[in-house]
Amino acid sequence: MTSAEKALRIITADNPSPFTGPGTNTFLLGRERIAVIDPGPDLAAHRRAILAAAGPGRISHIFVTHAHLDHSGGASALAQATGAPILGFGPAESGRSAVMERLAREGAIDGGEGLDRGFAPDIALADGAAVETDEWRLTALHTPGHFAGHLAFRQDETIFCGDVVMGWSSTIISPPDGDLADYFRSLSRLDSAGARVLLPAHGDAVRDPAARLAELAAHRRERTVQILAALRDGPATAEALARRIYRIPPAMIPAAMRNVLAHLIALSELGAVSTPGPIGSDSVFSAH
């Protein structure tokens, strides 16, 4: 067990779903000056559980990995209850790559699922920024891919990795907030960090980070191969490709389509696929 884990309590929100697993993990780090990492959704019962676990007057900082409602939705009410500042990368749409900024301006790729559009931290944390008390030191790592303004937080040999890595599933990458090229870079960055433990915001701790990171990268590469193979049968939309490639319940197809669109955008940037006109959610793609 790492030193961070010894000073850690985990409270899981009651928001289970196919995308959140058992629910959002809220981490409480420290005893007297407590850092709350991912306050979770805006659920009164979850907030009461956080406050009861911390004790009166002890929450000093509220860290948010990214502005999806299942992570940041409860931040404002918790800040009001404790007086603690909210720390995160920036407003909800900050940090997008140039490609995603352009596609968002063109307005045809939809996206924005679960986005906490009103989120804005009291303190913006740049990559490498550190916040320290006499009990803990957290260093922000900008890890976009699942979300443009996504931060992971390092404490010694432990990294609180938000939604970049989950032990039970791969994360959704939905443009323009998600970017596949950024995601691969973030996996590489976490691998090079050499942490002993990754603590995801959904699911159990990852105690062999290198193996899990390699598995996630291989999964995305395999998905790219599947998409290109399917396009050899003829042009298709992201939705058509998702229905052909994925073996999932019909209700999950819209999320799968967003993942496929992320792959198609990355392949388009590489010149491997193309579509007439600007890229949109309904674009028909062809392989070269």
Side-chain angles (χ1 to χ4, degrees), residues 79-92:
Q80 290 174 13
T82 61
I86 300 168
L87 301 89
F89 184 81

Side-chain angles (χ1 to χ4, degrees), residues 74-142:
S76 179
L78 186 62
Q80 290 174 13
T82 61
I86 300 168
L87 301 89
F89 184 81
E93 296 181 354
S94 58
R96 287 175 175 169
S97 65
V99 172
M100 293 303 163
E101 284 281 11
R102 173 173 55 80
L103 293 176
R105 284 196 304 272
E106 291 170 356
I109 60 169
D110 303 325
E113 306 88 352
L115 188 63
D116 187 354
R117 296 186 184 279
F119 178 79
D122 300 309
I123 300 172
L125 296 176
D127 181 53
V131 181
E132 185 173 9
T133 70
D134 56 0
E135 294 185 78
W136 47 262
R137 175 186 173 90
L138 288 171
T139 301
L141 306 175
H142 185 210

Side-chain angles (χ1 to χ4, degrees), residues 105-268:
R105 284 196 304 272
E106 291 170 356
I109 60 169
D110 303 325
E113 306 88 352
L115 188 63
D116 187 354
R117 296 186 184 279
F119 178 79
D122 300 309
I123 300 172
L125 296 176
D127 181 53
V131 181
E132 185 173 9
T133 70
D134 56 0
E135 294 185 78
W136 47 262
R137 175 186 173 90
L138 288 171
T139 301
L141 306 175
H142 185 210
T143 45
H146 166 72
F147 192 87
H150 191 288
L151 293 176
F153 298 103
R154 178 163 197 155
Q155 158 80 359
D156 297 331
E157 296 177 296
T158 298
I159 294 178
F160 300 89
C161 59
D163 280 3
V164 178
V165 176
M166 297 185 286
W168 61 279
S169 175
S170 60
T171 195
I172 187 171
I173 301 176
S174 178
D177 303 306
D179 184 308
L180 183 64
D182 279 347
Y183 178 72
F184 275 113
R185 284 189 282 269
S186 290
L187 292 181
S188 295
R189 182 171 194 192
L190 290 175
D191 187 41
S192 65
R196 285 177 54 196
V197 177
L198 301 178
L199 293 176
H202 305 288
D204 296 332
V206 175
R207 300 196 179 278
D208 189 349
R212 181 58 178 154
L213 291 163
E215 181 181 25
L216 290 171
H219 169 71
R220 292 294 175 178
R221 288 192 293 269
E222 180 182 0
R223 190 69 75 204
T224 296
V225 170
Q226 291 174 327
I227 290 169
L228 289 173
L231 284 176
R232 283 197 289 271
D233 294 333
T237 64
E239 181 179 354
L241 291 166
R243 292 185 182 279
R244 193 180 311 173
I245 294 168
Y246 284 78
R247 298 292 179 264
I248 55 177
M252 298 290 290
I253 289 295
M257 185 272 282
R258 303 304 302 176
N259 274 330
V260 171
L261 182 60
H263 281 260
L264 291 167
I265 290 170
L267 288 167
S268 177

